């Protein structure tokens, strides 16, 4: 019997799903502009409780066997969209900072600058031109809003992420979890806690590195020093 405890078993996104009140424009954006094929749809009539409307659930291929999907409910009226910030399904107050509103988004990745620029060309020739193109840390991204008001990103890696950066990311999140359990959380407190974690773990890291160095590859197989 296999043991799965502590193993990372997930292999990507099956689909991310969103509601839409404008399926025609949604198809025009994802299929006709970006070129993401429709790969599945579900027509659900008489589903659920009596007050549940009929709906269609449709899926676009976004590569790597992953999909982005939408729900359209027949007869359901669109909400008031003239107030607040964000997409029509998650309005924030008018005083909410724009950076907070835009943090809620979906990002798809491509392999090269040429591929990124091709998607920029497709979007710029459509009703949904690119609003921003930014290089930040290890990625370069283009951004726009889809017909539903969802903030949408396509990104490429500027360089590989190193194992050292993975280690740093885990230290940062461990420090964040620790400081948020105490009053007065701040960036300064996070950085102090991160430094403390580095000191606490340094000896263990050195022991692990020394253990790895005990084996030296050779044509005859690993040998000990």
């Amino acid at each position: 019997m296999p043991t799965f405890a502590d193993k990372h078993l997930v292999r990507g996104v099956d689909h991310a799903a969103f509601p839409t009140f404008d399926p025609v424009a949604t198809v025009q954006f994802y299929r006709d502009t970006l070129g993401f094929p429709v790969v599945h749809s579900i027509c659900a009539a008489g589903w659920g409780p009596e007050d549940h409307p009929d709906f269609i659930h449709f899926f676009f291929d976004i590569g790597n066997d992953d999909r982005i999907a939408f729900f359209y409910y027949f007869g359901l009226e669109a909400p008031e969209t003239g107030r607040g910030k964000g997409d029509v399904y998650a309005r924030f107050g008018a005083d909410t900072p724009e950076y907070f509103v835009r943090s809620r988004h979906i990002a798809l990745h491509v392999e090269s600058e040429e591929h990124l620029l091709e998607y920029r060309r497709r979007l710029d020739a459509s009703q949904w031109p690119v609003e921003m193109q930014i290089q930040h840390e290890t990625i370069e991204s283009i951004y726009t809003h889809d017909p539903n008001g969802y903030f949408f990103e396509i990104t490429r890696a500027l360089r590989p992420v190193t194992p050292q950066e993975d280690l740093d990311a885990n230290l940062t999140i461990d420090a964040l979890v620790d400081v948020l359990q105490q009053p007065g959380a701040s960036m300064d407190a996070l950085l102090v806690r991160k430094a403390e974690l580095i000191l606490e773990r340094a000896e263990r890291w050195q022991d692990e590195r020394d253990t790895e160095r005990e084996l030296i590859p050779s044509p005859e197989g690993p040998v000990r020093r």
Side-chain angles (χ1 to χ4, degrees):
M1 192 73 180
T3 301
F4 296 130
D6 302 322
K7 292 188 180 297
H8 186 11
L9 304 175
V10 170
R11 289 295 176 262
V13 176
D14 183 88
H15 67 277
F18 305 89
T20 179
F21 286 97
D22 193 346
V24 173
T26 299
V27 170
Q28 290 172 342
F29 180 83
Y30 288 97
R31 185 191 68 185
D32 301 338
T33 298
L34 294 173
F36 300 164
V38 175
V39 291
H40 187 52
S41 67
I42 300 169
C43 295
W47 185 90
E50 290 184 2
D51 61 348
H52 198 294
D54 295 340
F55 66 92
I56 182 168
H57 189 24
F58 53 102
F59 299 71
F60 301 96
D61 177 10
I62 57 173
N64 198 39
D65 291 328
D66 302 332
R67 289 158 288 274
I68 186 169
F70 293 87
F71 287 93
Y72 175 68
Y73 297 93
F74 289 94
L76 183 63
E77 294 186 6
E80 166 61 41
T81 61
R83 300 178 183 177
K85 296 181 178 180
D87 61 69
V88 297
Y89 321 103
R91 284 298 189 193
F92 298 98
D95 58 346
T96 305
E98 194 66 31
Y99 59 79
F100 183 87
V101 176
R102 288 183 169 181
S103 67
R104 183 178 183 271
H105 68 282
I106 186 168
L108 311 182
H109 65 87
V110 294
E111 292 183 348
S112 68
E113 181 181 18
E114 291 77 13
H115 293 178
L116 185 72
L117 294 178
E118 169 57 22
Y119 282 108
R120 167 146 205 165
R121 182 194 66 78
R122 297 181 193 184
L123 289 167
D124 285 343
S126 75
Q127 305 174 55
W128 306 279
V130 169
E131 300 169 21
M132 296 186 294
Q133 181 167 348
I134 302 174
Q135 289 188 2
H136 42 114
E137 294 198 18
T138 62
I139 61 175
E140 179 178 21
S141 301
I142 57 176
Y143 300 86
T144 192
H145 286 83
D146 86 346
N148 308 290
Y150 299 129
F151 201 38
F152 177 82
E153 173 185 0
I154 297 180
T155 187
R156 72 175 181 101
L158 295 173
R159 61 169 176 79
V161 176
T162 67
Q164 292 83 356
E165 287 172 309
D166 289 340
L167 176 61
D168 180 77
N170 279 278
L171 280 166
T172 300
I173 297 307
D174 286 348
L176 176 65
V177 170
D178 287 349
V179 300
L180 289 179
Q181 297 181 63
Q182 305 295 329
S186 66
M187 181 63 76
D188 285 346
L190 183 151
L191 294 175
V192 168
R193 180 56 183 151
K194 185 174 174 180
E196 292 171 349
L197 290 175
I198 291 172
L199 290 174
E200 291 172 10
R201 299 176 185 182
E203 184 175 353
R204 172 167 58 84
W205 290 337
Q206 187 61 53
D207 289 343
E208 290 172 354
R209 189 168 182 179
D210 290 344
T211 299
E212 291 174 358
R213 287 179 172 176
E214 287 181 358
L215 296 178
I216 303 174
S218 75
E220 294 76 25
V223 296
R224 292 191 173 275
R225 287 182 175 176

